[in-house]
Amino acid sequence: MLGRKVTLATCALNQWALDFEGNLQRILKSIEIAKSKGARYRLGPELEICGYGCADHYLESDTVLHSFQMLAELLASPTTEDIICDVGMPVMHKGSLYNCRVIFLNKKILLIRPKMMMANGGNYRELRWFLPWNKPRGIEEHYLPEIIQSVAGQETVPFGDAVLATKDTCLGSEICEELWTANSPHIAMSIDGVEIFTNSSASHHVLRKSYLRADLIKTATSKNGGIYLLANQKGCDGDRLYYDGCAMIAVNGHIVAQGSQFSLDDVEVLTTTQDLEDVRAYRSDKTSGKLTANEVYPRVRANFALSLADDVYVPSIQPIQMRFHTPEEEISLGPACWLWDYLRRSSQAGFFLPLSGGIDSSATACVVYSMCRQVCFAASNGNEQVLADARRIVSDHGYVPKDPRDFCQRVFTTCYMASENSSQDTCRRAKELAEQIGSHHININIDSAVKAVIMIFNLVTGKSPQFTVHGGCSRENLALQNLQARIRMVLAYLFAQLSLWTSGKPGGLLVLGSANVDESLRGYMTKYDCSSADINPIGGICKADLRNFIQYCIENFQLTALRSIMSAPPTAELEPLAEGQIAQTDEADMGMTYAELSVFGKLRKIAKCGPYSMFCKLIHMWKAICTPRQVAEKVKHFYRTYSMNRHKMTTLTPAYHAEDYNPDDNRFDLRPFLYNTSWSWQFKCINNQVTRLESTRGNNADGVSTEIK
């Protein structure tokens, strides 16, 4: 008699693009842990052998070759014996490259299952590299390379859309995007008798997204029962995305296991032991699907059972309460984990941040402090990799990070760059925050450098620009502001490169930027100023969320210095003070509020609105506070300034991707950077609509749009 209790494993791995040996070791470790927990099937993340973020390296034959070399190592390893292993890698089949799952058991490849539905929007470009398998429930023979034949003793294996039939059950694969589509494969597979569904993902973090994955896998098993395993990549594998792990397992519409969403553990394995009869009982009265079943999947048979016949102690389904982080917690944890991966993998010795005493740079400092807290927590819990990385970074082989402030002092330098336009208030705020988080803090004055550059200009032209308050024109005023900002960038890189050298320590520092997503969208920054940095942990986060994050840090990190930062109006401090007080504010400079900017950004990117469509939606959204003419002026002002400054996005510092209205021009938001900034026809359409609305007087424009929040 066959058993009914199965133990299955899924995992979250911190893989790194093209780190073949490191990726192999993490895969082997996950299999070893899965076996130690009694699992007889192990699922890993998408493209885990080479790392998901290889991008155009997928077009190189080396990437496929090295992936097969690592697969040969896996097949030959004793660690992979007596467990079905499901790994991800690119495979060339009949001259086309496919994103595949390779399922093997005891040195024999059972099935290569290619991805059928490609992720090709937003940050994803899979159709650039891979061909989708367009033969539903179709399989072909795949000829294996010699390196695999010599280990497996096989010349060919099934390649295509099939399911795996063991002695006691049936498993079907989905790959990432296939779960998110309207006609997911698990629907037809469940009707055809598949009881265990697997999904290997490379799903990145976005604020407020995690519950969607949980809902999808619960729904996948609630209609017709089944066990659903989700594996996901975690960490920064080489670009702007952070993959947030959170492997999950669902049974019959209930989540029964959930991994951590943010952690510094490179390998996390999640297992579950379930009774197959629970799935069969759940399906026993669902006859509607059976009556309409007409899609039969090819079955690849494995002479192997996932259950043990002599185990009579069977479990019941034990649903768990899902843990979802608040957005403030997500900001505290996600960008911090991303920074840690970037720091340890870049072989640098720490971070350098121009700390202005404002909300944005303070939020960046808090993210670094959160990283230090997580490093200390991981080290105290016995994470040997974190401990080894921390010791290498600080160049002290006996060091143990215990106190976040002490570790922060070793890896984080903050710098207040004063000018004659800076206030004592911002200087004091920066100093107090640095003291509370423990960073090595320095103060410098940039006035002499600014005057030296102006002197060079004067020697060449015979003219000296003046601020508006001193009689200069707007061009002079803007040029003088930009000069200060750019000198700060130059000095930031100088100090980042040499500050450790001055104290006899090895290495350099990564320069951190701190422009938020709203300012980038509006272009409210100087090109090549302190927004130009190596990386930016808050560049995908809006001002409103950053303010909430600051409040979170006050309450949870006891950083009381942030209270005065929260209460101060945002300012660039690039224009002369008025009687020692700040006369310049960000929102006045921009001609719009941060709240308005966030709305503009979501309508432009997420709702895919041009100027006219945005106007039509906003006259409904803002009808209680603005007339149609006022809405029109706001929309036109936004589009003028957005298009005028779009060129700045081409040099935007690589930033942690956290919002779906991110204006990053390099990977996510692909637009022209030379616009006709008059938008003549679009604005004419808006003006005509305003005239018609004003002529009707009673028309409040109800029904022209739906609200976007």
Side-chain angles (χ1 to χ4, degrees):
M1 177 180 175
L2 290 175
R4 48 194 275 186
K5 183 170 71 171
V6 294
T7 300
L8 310 166
T10 184
C11 61
L13 303 183
N14 193 337
Q15 304 297 73
W16 189 12
L18 303 177
D19 180 25
F20 291 98
E21 291 179 304
N23 293 345
L24 172 65
Q25 293 308 311
R26 286 181 284 272
I27 292 170
L28 286 170
K29 184 177 180 180
S30 71
I31 296 170
E32 182 181 340
I33 295 171
K35 289 177 68 175
S36 71
K37 294 183 176 182
R40 292 170 67 82
Y41 170 86
R42 175 269 183 199
L43 174 71
E46 186 174 8
L47 294 165
E48 59 188 307
I49 287 180
C50 57
Y52 183 81
C54 294
D56 279 0
H57 288 288
Y58 286 122
L59 304 177
E60 301 167 359
S61 61
D62 282 9
T63 304
V64 179
L65 168 65
H66 298 327
S67 295
F68 270 113
Q69 290 169 336
M70 296 302 105
L71 178 62
E73 294 283 339
L74 287 169
L75 289 168
S77 173
T79 302
T80 63
E81 293 177 359
D82 299 323
I83 182 171
I84 295 177
C85 298
D86 189 337
V87 299
M89 60 177 280
V91 176
M92 186 73 71
H93 178 69
K94 292 186 175 180
S96 297
L97 191 64
Y98 293 90
N99 175 349
C100 294
R101 303 305 300 170
V102 179
I103 305 172
F104 63 90
L105 169 67
N106 293 334
K107 298 185 179 181
K108 301 292 183 183
I109 297 177
L110 303 172
L111 171 67
I112 299 178
R113 200 283 199 177
K115 191 171 184 177
M116 303 175 68
M117 302 169 188
M118 298 288 111
N120 209 56
N123 288 293
Y124 296 98
R125 302 282 185 277
E126 290 183 3
L127 285 175
R128 181 180 174 94
W129 312 301
F130 301 111
L131 196 68
W133 183 250
N134 59 5
K135 300 178 182 179
R137 294 167 298 285
I139 58 173
E140 298 176 351
E141 273 192 326
H142 176 77
Y143 285 85
L144 294 168
E146 176 63 30
I147 189 174
I148 301 300
Q149 291 185 31
S150 63
V151 177
Q154 299 168 276
E155 288 188 358
T156 64
V157 294
F159 184 102
D161 184 21
V163 296
L164 183 66
T166 63
K167 288 181 176 182
D168 47 1
T169 187
C170 189
L171 298 89
S173 297
E174 290 185 326
I175 304 177
C176 199
E177 180 73 8
E178 294 170 357
L179 173 63
W180 298 75
T181 57
N183 190 25
S184 295
H186 69 258
I187 299 171
M189 287 192 292
S190 67
I191 295 173
D192 194 34
V194 173
E195 296 177 325
I196 300 171
F197 309 97
T198 66
N199 186 295
S200 55
S201 287
S203 181
H204 68 281
H205 173 239
V206 172
L207 293 175
R208 304 171 180 88
K209 172 186 173 183
S210 58
Y211 74 92
L212 292 173
R213 285 195 291 253
D215 285 349
L216 283 170
I217 70 168
K218 285 195 297 183
T219 302
T221 60
S222 64
K223 290 183 179 179
N224 202 31
I227 303 170
Y228 201 109
L229 283 72
L230 176 77
N232 195 23
Q233 179 149 318
K234 67 188 304 187
C236 165
D237 81 336
D239 65 9
R240 296 159 173 81
L241 303 183
Y242 178 78
Y243 301 93
D244 56 342
C246 202
M248 285 183 280
I249 303 172
V251 182
N252 294 350
H254 301 285
I255 300 294
V256 298
Q258 176 191 14
S260 62
Q261 186 178 9
F262 307 104
S263 82
L264 301 187
D265 296 328
D266 284 347
V267 177
E268 184 177 6
V269 178
L270 208 61
T271 60
T272 186
T273 301
Q274 297 295 328
D275 184 0
L276 292 172
E277 290 300 321
D278 285 337
V279 175
R280 294 158 188 165
Y282 189 89
R283 290 180 173 179
S284 62
D285 62 348
K286 296 186 179 295
T287 58
S288 58
K290 299 173 185 177
L291 293 174
T292 60
N294 59 2
E295 297 178 334
V296 178
Y297 279 80
R299 276 164 164 74
V300 175
R301 303 193 180 278
N303 187 24
F304 186 77
L306 296 182
S307 59
L308 299 175
D310 58 351
D311 195 342
V312 297
Y313 295 95
V314 293
S316 297
I317 296 173
Q318 298 289 331
I320 64 168
Q321 183 66 42
M322 287 288 291
R323 167 75 170 96
F324 295 116
H325 292 287
T326 66
E328 296 76 34
E329 290 172 331
E330 291 184 274
I331 295 171
S332 173
L333 297 170
C337 291
W338 182 75
L339 282 182
W340 176 246
D341 275 352
Y342 202 101
L343 176 60
R344 67 191 182 112
R345 288 173 170 171
S346 65
S347 300
Q348 297 301 300
F351 299 112
F352 182 95
L353 173 68
L355 183 60
S356 69
I359 283 181
D360 294 338
S361 63
S362 298
T364 300
C366 290
V367 170
V368 177
Y369 180 64
S370 176
M371 181 202 78
C372 295
R373 289 169 57 93
Q374 291 183 69
V375 168
C376 293
F377 177 78
S380 67
N381 284 342
N383 189 317
E384 294 181 0
Q385 184 62 58
V386 168
L387 182 59
D389 287 333
R391 287 172 170 172
R392 177 176 50 81
I393 289 167
V394 302
S395 300
D396 183 346
H397 298 297
Y399 177 68
V400 178
K402 297 179 180 179
D403 177 8
R405 295 185 74 255
D406 173 70
F407 187 60
C408 194
Q409 194 276 333
R410 292 170 181 256
V411 301
F412 190 30
T413 297
T414 53
C415 178
Y416 183 80
M417 299 184 178
S419 76
E420 60 186 13
N421 302 319
S422 303
S423 68
Q424 288 300 312
D425 289 339
T426 53
C427 180
R428 174 182 50 78
R429 292 177 202 133
K431 182 175 182 292
E432 289 177 354
L433 178 59
E435 288 174 349
Q436 291 186 5
I437 64 175
S439 67
H440 172 62
H441 188 66
I442 56 179
N443 283 293
I444 63 175
N445 190 290
I446 68 170
D447 285 337
S448 58
V450 172
K451 291 174 182 177
V453 174
I454 293 175
M455 186 180 297
I456 294 172
F457 183 82
N458 177 262
L459 288 172
V460 174
T461 66
K463 293 181 178 295
S464 295
Q466 301 294 323
F467 285 105
T468 303
V469 296
H470 299 150
C473 67
S474 60
R475 283 192 292 173
E476 295 173 71
N477 196 71
L478 188 58
L480 288 172
Q481 292 185 65
N482 289 342
L483 174 59
Q484 297 168 76
R486 289 182 176 124
I487 283 176
R488 287 187 170 116
M489 183 272 290
V490 173
L491 289 171
Y493 273 96
L494 177 65
F495 276 83
Q497 192 168 8
L498 293 179
S499 60
L500 294 180
W501 166 76
T502 63
S503 56
K505 297 177 182 177
L509 304 176
L510 292 164
V511 178
L512 296 181
S514 54
N516 64 62
V517 71
D518 297 324
E519 290 172 348
S520 297
L521 174 68
R522 164 63 173 73
Y524 183 63
M525 61 179 68
T526 298
K527 199 172 187 180
Y528 305 119
D529 70 345
C530 278
S531 65
S532 296
D534 293 313
I535 50 175
N536 180 355
I538 68 162
I541 304 172
C542 71
K543 194 76 164 188
D545 282 340
L546 288 175
R547 291 187 66 86
N548 292 336
F549 169 60
I550 291 290
Q551 184 61 42
Y552 170 88
C553 293
I554 294 172
E555 297 169 1
N556 292 272
F557 298 165
Q558 289 74 53
L559 300 177
T560 55
L562 294 171
R563 291 198 179 104
S564 60
I565 293 170
M566 273 280 285
S567 61
T571 175
E573 284 196 329
L574 294 172
E575 293 187 10
L577 301 174
E579 297 180 356
Q581 300 299 312
I582 294 170
Q584 179 186 29
T585 63
D586 291 353
E587 291 186 340
D589 276 359
M590 292 190 297
M592 60 191 75
T593 66
Y594 281 106
E596 289 171 343
L597 256 178
S598 184
V599 173
F600 293 146
K602 291 172 182 175
L603 289 174
R604 182 197 68 99
K605 179 66 177 177
I606 300 174
K608 300 176 176 60
C609 289
Y612 180 73
S613 295
M614 184 181 291
F615 165 77
C616 291
K617 288 184 179 293
L618 288 176
I619 56 175
H620 176 71
M621 288 175 60
W622 291 348
K623 62 184 178 182
I625 57 174
C626 294
T627 66
R629 184 168 295 279
Q630 290 171 326
V631 171
E633 291 308 312
K634 288 177 181 290
V635 170
K636 289 187 288 185
H637 178 62
F638 166 72
Y639 269 98
R640 283 193 198 98
T641 54
Y642 155 76
S643 57
M644 185 186 306
N645 290 294
R646 181 66 195 188
H647 65 95
K648 297 177 183 178
M649 296 304 96
T650 63
T651 61
L652 193 66
T653 294
Y656 182 96
H657 181 87
E659 280 284 4
D660 281 335
Y661 70 92
N662 191 339
D664 171 29
D665 185 76
N666 297 281
R667 300 290 177 90
F668 183 70
D669 187 45
L670 306 183
R671 313 268 175 155
F673 54 86
L674 176 61
Y675 280 92
N676 180 347
T677 58
S678 68
W679 299 86
S680 57
W681 180 253
Q682 295 91 329
F683 288 180
K684 187 180 293 183
C685 291
I686 292 175
N687 293 337
N688 290 341
Q689 187 62 252
V690 169
T691 301
R692 283 194 292 269
L693 289 172
E694 289 179 340
S695 66
T696 58
R697 296 196 174 180
N699 190 344
N700 63 7
D702 279 351
V704 298
S705 66
T706 56
E707 186 169 351
I708 302 293
K709 293 183 178 178

